[in-house]
Amino acid sequence: MSVAVVYWSGTGNTQAMAEAVVKGIEAAGKEAELLEAGEASAEEIAEKEAIALGCPAMGVEQLEEDEMEPFVEALESLVSGKHLLLFGSYGWGDGEWMRDWINRMKQAGAVLVREDGVIANEIPDEAALAECEAAGKELAE
């Protein structure tokens, strides 16, 4: 089984989380493909058996609008029945962007591996990275 991990990161925080998710997927004995949102094709990603998407909160708690939002919009109609993990970091607010993203993907028919996603405030600490790794493993199982 191949699992896609697609992310957008402005400061490296969400990239670190994506790399931890990949570690978990590989620990479960699966192959992981790590891609930045600008490099990813929604149609190709939708062919994977499972998908992890990572994006920090931007602006007024929303997805990054130039690369990640268009990618998610293209993928949205293709995720029904797919196992999906959402993750990202934030520096303000209370995680509203993740709750909105979760609801959006649920409405699209995705099967969420973590009901609340995985979020980290600012730089992900050891606990957040361990949670990402565990979530990656769950996604691959």
mmCIF file of all heavy atoms in Angstrom, residues 86-123:
data_model
loop_
_atom_site.group_PDB
_atom_site.id
_atom_site.type_symbol
_atom_site.label_atom_id
_atom_site.label_comp_id
_atom_site.label_asym_id
_atom_site.label_seq_id
_atom_site.Cartn_x
_atom_site.Cartn_y
_atom_site.Cartn_z
ATOM 1 N N LEU A 86 -5.460 14.563 8.718
ATOM 2 C CA LEU A 86 -5.205 15.992 8.583
ATOM 3 C C LEU A 86 -4.312 16.448 9.734
ATOM 4 O O LEU A 86 -4.505 16.028 10.878
ATOM 5 C CB LEU A 86 -6.516 16.787 8.611
ATOM 6 C CG LEU A 86 -7.547 16.445 7.531
ATOM 7 C CD1 LEU A 86 -8.814 17.261 7.735
ATOM 8 C CD2 LEU A 86 -6.985 16.651 6.143
ATOM 9 N N PHE A 87 -3.338 17.302 9.418
ATOM 10 C CA PHE A 87 -2.427 17.798 10.453
ATOM 11 C C PHE A 87 -1.926 19.187 10.089
ATOM 12 O O PHE A 87 -2.025 19.607 8.934
ATOM 13 C CB PHE A 87 -1.243 16.833 10.646
ATOM 14 C CG PHE A 87 -0.358 16.697 9.435
ATOM 15 C CD1 PHE A 87 0.754 17.503 9.273
ATOM 16 C CD2 PHE A 87 -0.645 15.762 8.450
ATOM 17 C CE1 PHE A 87 1.564 17.389 8.162
ATOM 18 C CE2 PHE A 87 0.160 15.627 7.333
ATOM 19 C CZ PHE A 87 1.276 16.445 7.188
ATOM 20 N N GLY A 88 -1.409 19.896 11.096
ATOM 21 C CA GLY A 88 -0.831 21.204 10.844
ATOM 22 C C GLY A 88 -0.516 21.950 12.124
ATOM 23 O O GLY A 88 -0.856 21.511 13.219
ATOM 24 N N SER A 89 0.142 23.088 11.952
ATOM 25 C CA SER A 89 0.525 23.903 13.101
ATOM 26 C C SER A 89 -0.206 25.247 13.040
ATOM 27 O O SER A 89 -0.725 25.634 12.003
ATOM 28 C CB SER A 89 2.041 24.124 13.107
ATOM 29 O OG SER A 89 2.436 24.814 11.939
ATOM 30 N N TYR A 90 -0.210 25.924 14.182
ATOM 31 C CA TYR A 90 -0.868 27.227 14.243
ATOM 32 C C TYR A 90 -0.149 28.093 15.270
ATOM 33 O O TYR A 90 0.558 27.576 16.135
ATOM 34 C CB TYR A 90 -2.353 27.096 14.594
ATOM 35 C CG TYR A 90 -2.616 26.577 15.991
ATOM 36 C CD1 TYR A 90 -3.015 27.438 17.000
ATOM 37 C CD2 TYR A 90 -2.452 25.237 16.309
ATOM 38 C CE1 TYR A 90 -3.254 26.980 18.283
ATOM 39 C CE2 TYR A 90 -2.685 24.761 17.580
ATOM 40 C CZ TYR A 90 -3.084 25.638 18.573
ATOM 41 O OH TYR A 90 -3.295 25.183 19.837
ATOM 42 N N GLY A 91 -0.319 29.387 15.141
ATOM 43 C CA GLY A 91 0.347 30.297 16.068
ATOM 44 C C GLY A 91 -0.615 31.174 16.834
ATOM 45 O O GLY A 91 -0.223 31.925 17.708
ATOM 46 N N TRP A 92 -1.879 31.112 16.480
ATOM 47 C CA TRP A 92 -2.900 31.937 17.138
ATOM 48 C C TRP A 92 -4.226 31.214 17.000
ATOM 49 O O TRP A 92 -4.335 30.213 16.300
ATOM 50 C CB TRP A 92 -2.979 33.326 16.494
ATOM 51 C CG TRP A 92 -3.335 33.254 15.047
ATOM 52 C CD1 TRP A 92 -4.594 33.271 14.505
ATOM 53 C CD2 TRP A 92 -2.458 33.081 13.943
ATOM 54 N NE1 TRP A 92 -4.550 33.132 13.141
ATOM 55 C CE2 TRP A 92 -3.230 33.007 12.770
ATOM 56 C CE3 TRP A 92 -1.070 32.979 13.825
ATOM 57 C CZ2 TRP A 92 -2.681 32.842 11.510
ATOM 58 C CZ3 TRP A 92 -0.524 32.819 12.562
ATOM 59 C CH2 TRP A 92 -1.330 32.766 11.431
ATOM 60 N N GLY A 93 -5.241 31.732 17.654
ATOM 61 C CA GLY A 93 -6.555 31.112 17.571
ATOM 62 C C GLY A 93 -6.637 29.851 18.402
ATOM 63 O O GLY A 93 -5.811 29.592 19.275
ATOM 64 N N ASP A 94 -7.634 29.045 18.094
ATOM 65 C CA ASP A 94 -7.875 27.841 18.893
ATOM 66 C C ASP A 94 -8.012 26.576 18.057
ATOM 67 O O ASP A 94 -8.526 25.575 18.529
ATOM 68 C CB ASP A 94 -9.123 28.039 19.758
ATOM 69 C CG ASP A 94 -10.398 28.138 18.921
ATOM 70 O OD1 ASP A 94 -10.328 28.140 17.677
ATOM 71 O OD2 ASP A 94 -11.489 28.203 19.526
ATOM 72 N N GLY A 95 -7.566 26.619 16.821
ATOM 73 C CA GLY A 95 -7.658 25.427 15.973
ATOM 74 C C GLY A 95 -8.897 25.399 15.095
ATOM 75 O O GLY A 95 -9.229 24.354 14.535
ATOM 76 N N GLU A 96 -9.554 26.523 14.957
ATOM 77 C CA GLU A 96 -10.776 26.577 14.149
ATOM 78 C C GLU A 96 -10.535 26.106 12.711
ATOM 79 O O GLU A 96 -11.363 25.433 12.129
ATOM 80 C CB GLU A 96 -11.339 27.998 14.141
ATOM 81 C CG GLU A 96 -12.619 28.136 13.325
ATOM 82 C CD GLU A 96 -13.144 29.550 13.290
ATOM 83 O OE1 GLU A 96 -12.604 30.438 13.994
ATOM 84 O OE2 GLU A 96 -14.104 29.783 12.552
ATOM 85 N N TRP A 97 -9.369 26.456 12.158
ATOM 86 C CA TRP A 97 -9.071 26.050 10.781
ATOM 87 C C TRP A 97 -9.092 24.534 10.641
ATOM 88 O O TRP A 97 -9.563 23.995 9.641
ATOM 89 C CB TRP A 97 -7.730 26.653 10.330
ATOM 90 C CG TRP A 97 -6.571 25.711 10.249
ATOM 91 C CD1 TRP A 97 -6.071 25.140 9.119
ATOM 92 C CD2 TRP A 97 -5.764 25.220 11.324
ATOM 93 N NE1 TRP A 97 -5.005 24.332 9.432
ATOM 94 C CE2 TRP A 97 -4.795 24.370 10.787
ATOM 95 C CE3 TRP A 97 -5.774 25.425 12.705
ATOM 96 C CZ2 TRP A 97 -3.845 23.721 11.559
ATOM 97 C CZ3 TRP A 97 -4.833 24.779 13.478
ATOM 98 C CH2 TRP A 97 -3.888 23.940 12.909
ATOM 99 N N MET A 98 -8.606 23.820 11.654
ATOM 100 C CA MET A 98 -8.594 22.352 11.596
ATOM 101 C C MET A 98 -10.016 21.808 11.724
ATOM 102 O O MET A 98 -10.400 20.892 11.001
ATOM 103 C CB MET A 98 -7.688 21.780 12.693
ATOM 104 C CG MET A 98 -7.586 20.256 12.643
ATOM 105 S SD MET A 98 -6.940 19.555 11.083
ATOM 106 C CE MET A 98 -5.218 20.033 11.160
ATOM 107 N N ARG A 99 -10.808 22.362 12.621
ATOM 108 C CA ARG A 99 -12.199 21.911 12.752
ATOM 109 C C ARG A 99 -12.963 22.125 11.439
ATOM 110 O O ARG A 99 -13.714 21.246 11.006
ATOM 111 C CB ARG A 99 -12.895 22.634 13.913
ATOM 112 C CG ARG A 99 -12.368 22.203 15.279
ATOM 113 C CD ARG A 99 -13.217 22.747 16.416
ATOM 114 N NE ARG A 99 -13.322 24.206 16.445
ATOM 115 C CZ ARG A 99 -12.440 25.022 17.008
ATOM 116 N NH1 ARG A 99 -11.355 24.535 17.586
ATOM 117 N NH2 ARG A 99 -12.633 26.335 17.001
ATOM 118 N N ASP A 100 -12.761 23.272 10.816
ATOM 119 C CA ASP A 100 -13.421 23.550 9.539
ATOM 120 C C ASP A 100 -12.967 22.564 8.462
ATOM 121 O O ASP A 100 -13.771 22.066 7.672
ATOM 122 C CB ASP A 100 -13.120 24.976 9.071
ATOM 123 C CG ASP A 100 -13.772 26.041 9.943
ATOM 124 O OD1 ASP A 100 -14.679 25.705 10.740
ATOM 125 O OD2 ASP A 100 -13.362 27.213 9.840
ATOM 126 N N TRP A 101 -11.664 22.284 8.423
ATOM 127 C CA TRP A 101 -11.097 21.367 7.431
ATOM 128 C C TRP A 101 -11.623 19.948 7.651
ATOM 129 O O TRP A 101 -11.989 19.254 6.708
ATOM 130 C CB TRP A 101 -9.582 21.438 7.535
ATOM 131 C CG TRP A 101 -8.809 20.914 6.374
ATOM 132 C CD1 TRP A 101 -9.291 20.544 5.136
ATOM 133 C CD2 TRP A 101 -7.407 20.701 6.328
ATOM 134 N NE1 TRP A 101 -8.254 20.131 4.345
ATOM 135 C CE2 TRP A 101 -7.087 20.218 5.050
ATOM 136 C CE3 TRP A 101 -6.378 20.875 7.249
ATOM 137 C CZ2 TRP A 101 -5.781 19.897 4.670
ATOM 138 C CZ3 TRP A 101 -5.081 20.571 6.865
ATOM 139 C CH2 TRP A 101 -4.790 20.084 5.596
ATOM 140 N N ILE A 102 -11.693 19.537 8.903
ATOM 141 C CA ILE A 102 -12.227 18.214 9.238
ATOM 142 C C ILE A 102 -13.675 18.103 8.764
ATOM 143 O O ILE A 102 -14.045 17.118 8.112
ATOM 144 C CB ILE A 102 -12.107 17.951 10.758
ATOM 145 C CG1 ILE A 102 -10.643 17.679 11.112
ATOM 146 C CG2 ILE A 102 -13.015 16.816 11.201
ATOM 147 C CD1 ILE A 102 -10.348 17.728 12.592
ATOM 148 N N ASN A 103 -14.485 19.093 9.093
ATOM 149 C CA ASN A 103 -15.895 19.061 8.670
ATOM 150 C C ASN A 103 -16.018 19.021 7.156
ATOM 151 O O ASN A 103 -16.847 18.293 6.609
ATOM 152 C CB ASN A 103 -16.659 20.250 9.245
ATOM 153 C CG ASN A 103 -16.856 20.139 10.735
ATOM 154 O OD1 ASN A 103 -16.888 19.045 11.290
ATOM 155 N ND2 ASN A 103 -16.971 21.269 11.409
ATOM 156 N N ARG A 104 -15.205 19.785 6.492
ATOM 157 C CA ARG A 104 -15.213 19.819 5.026
ATOM 158 C C ARG A 104 -14.888 18.446 4.428
ATOM 159 O O ARG A 104 -15.550 17.983 3.498
ATOM 160 C CB ARG A 104 -14.184 20.860 4.589
ATOM 161 C CG ARG A 104 -14.059 21.073 3.126
ATOM 162 C CD ARG A 104 -13.054 22.192 2.888
ATOM 163 N NE ARG A 104 -12.768 22.367 1.499
ATOM 164 C CZ ARG A 104 -11.871 23.209 1.037
ATOM 165 N NH1 ARG A 104 -11.185 23.972 1.868
ATOM 166 N NH2 ARG A 104 -11.655 23.310 -0.255
ATOM 167 N N MET A 105 -13.866 17.782 4.964
ATOM 168 C CA MET A 105 -13.468 16.473 4.438
ATOM 169 C C MET A 105 -14.483 15.382 4.801
ATOM 170 O O MET A 105 -14.728 14.478 4.011
ATOM 171 C CB MET A 105 -12.075 16.097 4.937
ATOM 172 C CG MET A 105 -10.966 17.002 4.400
ATOM 173 S SD MET A 105 -10.752 16.930 2.592
ATOM 174 C CE MET A 105 -11.568 18.414 2.055
ATOM 175 N N LYS A 106 -15.088 15.504 5.991
ATOM 176 C CA LYS A 106 -16.156 14.565 6.355
ATOM 177 C C LYS A 106 -17.330 14.698 5.395
ATOM 178 O O LYS A 106 -17.892 13.700 4.939
ATOM 179 C CB LYS A 106 -16.646 14.824 7.784
ATOM 180 C CG LYS A 106 -15.798 14.228 8.860
ATOM 181 C CD LYS A 106 -16.444 14.516 10.210
ATOM 182 C CE LYS A 106 -15.664 13.956 11.348
ATOM 183 N NZ LYS A 106 -16.281 14.300 12.643
ATOM 184 N N GLN A 107 -17.707 15.942 5.085
ATOM 185 C CA GLN A 107 -18.814 16.172 4.157
ATOM 186 C C GLN A 107 -18.486 15.642 2.769
ATOM 187 O O GLN A 107 -19.393 15.261 2.025
ATOM 188 C CB GLN A 107 -19.168 17.658 4.096
ATOM 189 C CG GLN A 107 -19.836 18.146 5.356
ATOM 190 C CD GLN A 107 -20.085 19.656 5.352
ATOM 191 O OE1 GLN A 107 -19.728 20.364 4.425
ATOM 192 N NE2 GLN A 107 -20.715 20.128 6.418
ATOM 193 N N ALA A 108 -17.196 15.581 2.431
ATOM 194 C CA ALA A 108 -16.768 15.042 1.139
ATOM 195 C C ALA A 108 -16.731 13.519 1.153
ATOM 196 O O ALA A 108 -16.485 12.898 0.124
ATOM 197 C CB ALA A 108 -15.402 15.606 0.765
ATOM 198 N N GLY A 109 -16.954 12.919 2.333
ATOM 199 C CA GLY A 109 -17.022 11.465 2.430
ATOM 200 C C GLY A 109 -15.744 10.778 2.863
ATOM 201 O O GLY A 109 -15.658 9.554 2.853
ATOM 202 N N ALA A 110 -14.730 11.540 3.262
ATOM 203 C CA ALA A 110 -13.472 10.938 3.713
ATOM 204 C C ALA A 110 -13.674 10.225 5.051
ATOM 205 O O ALA A 110 -14.523 10.604 5.853
ATOM 206 C CB ALA A 110 -12.395 12.007 3.862
ATOM 207 N N VAL A 111 -12.862 9.197 5.267
ATOM 208 C CA VAL A 111 -12.858 8.462 6.523
ATOM 209 C C VAL A 111 -11.651 8.966 7.309
ATOM 210 O O VAL A 111 -10.509 8.668 6.951
ATOM 211 C CB VAL A 111 -12.741 6.939 6.273
ATOM 212 C CG1 VAL A 111 -12.693 6.185 7.585
ATOM 213 C CG2 VAL A 111 -13.872 6.456 5.384
ATOM 214 N N LEU A 112 -11.891 9.766 8.342
ATOM 215 C CA LEU A 112 -10.790 10.382 9.083
ATOM 216 C C LEU A 112 -10.163 9.412 10.074
ATOM 217 O O LEU A 112 -10.861 8.762 10.841
ATOM 218 C CB LEU A 112 -11.269 11.639 9.798
ATOM 219 C CG LEU A 112 -11.725 12.758 8.872
ATOM 220 C CD1 LEU A 112 -12.203 13.952 9.676
ATOM 221 C CD2 LEU A 112 -10.618 13.175 7.933
ATOM 222 N N VAL A 113 -8.845 9.357 10.039
ATOM 223 C CA VAL A 113 -8.098 8.487 10.942
ATOM 224 C C VAL A 113 -8.073 9.074 12.342
ATOM 225 O O VAL A 113 -8.216 8.356 13.318
ATOM 226 C CB VAL A 113 -6.667 8.262 10.410
ATOM 227 C CG1 VAL A 113 -5.812 7.546 11.427
ATOM 228 C CG2 VAL A 113 -6.724 7.476 9.116
ATOM 229 N N ARG A 114 -7.907 10.353 12.465
ATOM 230 C CA ARG A 114 -7.967 11.052 13.751
ATOM 231 C C ARG A 114 -9.113 12.036 13.657
ATOM 232 O O ARG A 114 -9.053 12.980 12.883
ATOM 233 C CB ARG A 114 -6.662 11.796 14.041
ATOM 234 C CG ARG A 114 -5.459 10.904 14.288
ATOM 235 C CD ARG A 114 -5.434 10.471 15.744
ATOM 236 N NE ARG A 114 -4.349 9.573 16.027
ATOM 237 C CZ ARG A 114 -3.320 9.875 16.808
ATOM 238 N NH1 ARG A 114 -3.222 11.068 17.352
ATOM 239 N NH2 ARG A 114 -2.404 8.973 17.051
ATOM 240 N N GLU A 115 -10.137 11.845 14.453
ATOM 241 C CA GLU A 115 -11.338 12.695 14.388
ATOM 242 C C GLU A 115 -11.029 14.179 14.542
ATOM 243 O O GLU A 115 -11.713 15.006 13.963
ATOM 244 C CB GLU A 115 -12.340 12.288 15.470
ATOM 245 C CG GLU A 115 -13.202 11.109 15.098
ATOM 246 C CD GLU A 115 -14.124 11.359 13.910
ATOM 247 O OE1 GLU A 115 -14.845 12.381 13.891
ATOM 248 O OE2 GLU A 115 -14.110 10.533 12.990
ATOM 249 N N ASP A 116 -10.009 14.515 15.323
ATOM 250 C CA ASP A 116 -9.672 15.916 15.572
ATOM 251 C C ASP A 116 -8.423 16.365 14.826
ATOM 252 O O ASP A 116 -7.931 17.465 15.048
ATOM 253 C CB ASP A 116 -9.469 16.157 17.065
ATOM 254 C CG ASP A 116 -10.743 15.899 17.866
ATOM 255 O OD1 ASP A 116 -11.836 16.158 17.334
ATOM 256 O OD2 ASP A 116 -10.631 15.437 19.012
ATOM 257 N N GLY A 117 -7.872 15.502 13.965
ATOM 258 C CA GLY A 117 -6.626 15.815 13.289
ATOM 259 C C GLY A 117 -5.488 15.858 14.295
ATOM 260 O O GLY A 117 -5.643 15.470 15.454
ATOM 261 N N VAL A 118 -4.325 16.303 13.859
ATOM 262 C CA VAL A 118 -3.181 16.478 14.746
ATOM 263 C C VAL A 118 -2.699 17.904 14.556
ATOM 264 O O VAL A 118 -2.358 18.301 13.446
ATOM 265 C CB VAL A 118 -2.043 15.485 14.398
ATOM 266 C CG1 VAL A 118 -0.848 15.724 15.313
ATOM 267 C CG2 VAL A 118 -2.514 14.042 14.486
ATOM 268 N N ILE A 119 -2.710 18.677 15.649
ATOM 269 C CA ILE A 119 -2.266 20.071 15.557
ATOM 270 C C ILE A 119 -1.186 20.352 16.589
ATOM 271 O O ILE A 119 -1.131 19.717 17.645
ATOM 272 C CB ILE A 119 -3.431 21.078 15.684
ATOM 273 C CG1 ILE A 119 -4.115 20.989 17.045
ATOM 274 C CG2 ILE A 119 -4.443 20.872 14.574
ATOM 275 C CD1 ILE A 119 -5.193 22.062 17.253
ATOM 276 N N ALA A 120 -0.324 21.301 16.234
ATOM 277 C CA ALA A 120 0.745 21.720 17.142
ATOM 278 C C ALA A 120 0.751 23.239 17.196
ATOM 279 O O ALA A 120 0.596 23.897 16.164
ATOM 280 C CB ALA A 120 2.092 21.215 16.651
ATOM 281 N N ASN A 121 0.930 23.787 18.381
ATOM 282 C CA ASN A 121 1.038 25.228 18.522
ATOM 283 C C ASN A 121 2.488 25.614 18.279
ATOM 284 O O ASN A 121 3.381 25.159 18.992
ATOM 285 C CB ASN A 121 0.593 25.651 19.921
ATOM 286 C CG ASN A 121 0.430 27.148 20.029
ATOM 287 O OD1 ASN A 121 1.368 27.883 19.753
ATOM 288 N ND2 ASN A 121 -0.737 27.590 20.412
ATOM 289 N N GLU A 122 2.706 26.444 17.238
ATOM 290 C CA GLU A 122 4.040 26.905 16.841
ATOM 291 C C GLU A 122 4.913 25.712 16.421
ATOM 292 O O GLU A 122 4.468 24.849 15.696
ATOM 293 C CB GLU A 122 4.694 27.716 17.971
ATOM 294 C CG GLU A 122 3.922 28.953 18.373
ATOM 295 C CD GLU A 122 3.911 30.066 17.334
ATOM 296 O OE1 GLU A 122 4.663 30.012 16.342
ATOM 297 O OE2 GLU A 122 3.126 31.011 17.515
ATOM 298 N N ILE A 123 6.154 25.663 16.921
ATOM 299 C CA ILE A 123 7.082 24.588 16.550
ATOM 300 C C ILE A 123 6.622 23.304 17.230
ATOM 301 O O ILE A 123 6.430 23.282 18.447
ATOM 302 C CB ILE A 123 8.514 24.944 16.993
ATOM 303 C CG1 ILE A 123 8.990 26.206 16.273
ATOM 304 C CG2 ILE A 123 9.467 23.779 16.729
ATOM 305 C CD1 ILE A 123 10.288 26.774 16.790
#
